[in-house]
Amino acid sequence: MTATRNRVPLHSSEADNRRIKRLMRANVAYFAEHRDQIADRLREIDQEWDIERAIEANAAVLGFTGTVLAATSDRRWLALPALVTAFLFQHAIQGWCPPVPVLRKLGFRTSYEIEEERRALMALRGDFGQRAESADAALQASTGSANAPLPA
């Protein structure tokens, strides 16, 4: 079974993964030049929904909707919560379900991807004892490896 940290990116298109990485890198580069705004960006990141939360909310809404429709109009609507439950289980096992490609295209990130940006910003701010002097240094610090490849 794939590690939790990697399962959504492994089941996402390379184009979506690259776009998400590019945006994160652009954010870090911007804040390397505007360090006075890092605290505001960290507050925004605290409010960001990761893809797991979006999938859970999507499943809850669809499951509840199917149950209400089954209770008020036609029992065949019970197929909707059953299908949603199966997809949720598939996501738990594989890291993929039908909403994943749509949510990735919309820019939803994994909690690890969000945390990577948070750590890079904190490195820029000097939260780890030594202030990163550049976006590249901050990104390398955020991965925990000085030799980690940077996203293209």
Side-chain angles (χ1 to χ4, degrees):
M1 191 163 22
T2 307
T4 300
R5 167 181 152 176
N6 299 321
R7 63 194 185 112
V8 169
L10 285 174
H11 291 95
S12 299
S13 76
E14 280 304 309
D16 290 338
N17 288 336
R18 280 193 307 272
R19 186 176 34 75
I20 287 168
K21 286 285 190 186
R22 263 194 318 270
L23 180 59
M24 189 260 307
R25 187 173 185 159
N27 286 343
V28 174
Y30 173 85
F31 290 104
E33 300 299 320
H34 302 91
R35 292 174 192 252
D36 59 316
Q37 297 173 23
I38 290 175
D40 292 335
R41 177 62 183 150
L42 288 171
R43 280 191 289 282
E44 288 174 7
I45 288 173
D46 287 341
Q47 300 301 313
E48 183 176 347
W49 278 33
D50 66 34
I51 194 164
E52 303 294 331
R53 187 175 184 187
I55 288 169
E56 291 165 357
N58 176 59
V61 167
L62 290 175
F64 183 69
T65 301
T67 303
V68 169
L69 288 170
T72 59
S73 68
D74 189 334
R75 288 176 38 126
R76 288 180 284 188
W77 279 107
L78 287 174
L80 183 59
L83 189 62
V84 167
T85 303
F87 287 151
L88 201 54
F89 183 70
Q90 179 183 17
H91 179 69
I93 299 300
Q94 295 179 329
W96 184 88
C97 63
V100 166
V102 174
L103 293 171
R104 291 295 275 180
K105 284 198 184 318
L106 292 172
F108 280 88
R109 302 187 291 174
T110 65
S111 61
Y112 181 79
E113 290 165 334
I114 294 167
E115 191 59 30
E116 190 175 2
E117 182 177 342
R118 179 192 325 278
R119 287 190 314 263
L121 294 173
M122 293 170 74
L124 283 173
R125 198 168 63 177
D127 290 8
F128 304 120
Q130 184 174 355
R131 191 175 127 184
E133 294 304 318
S134 69
D136 285 343
L139 287 164
Q140 287 175 344
S142 75
T143 63
S145 170
N147 299 319
L150 294 176

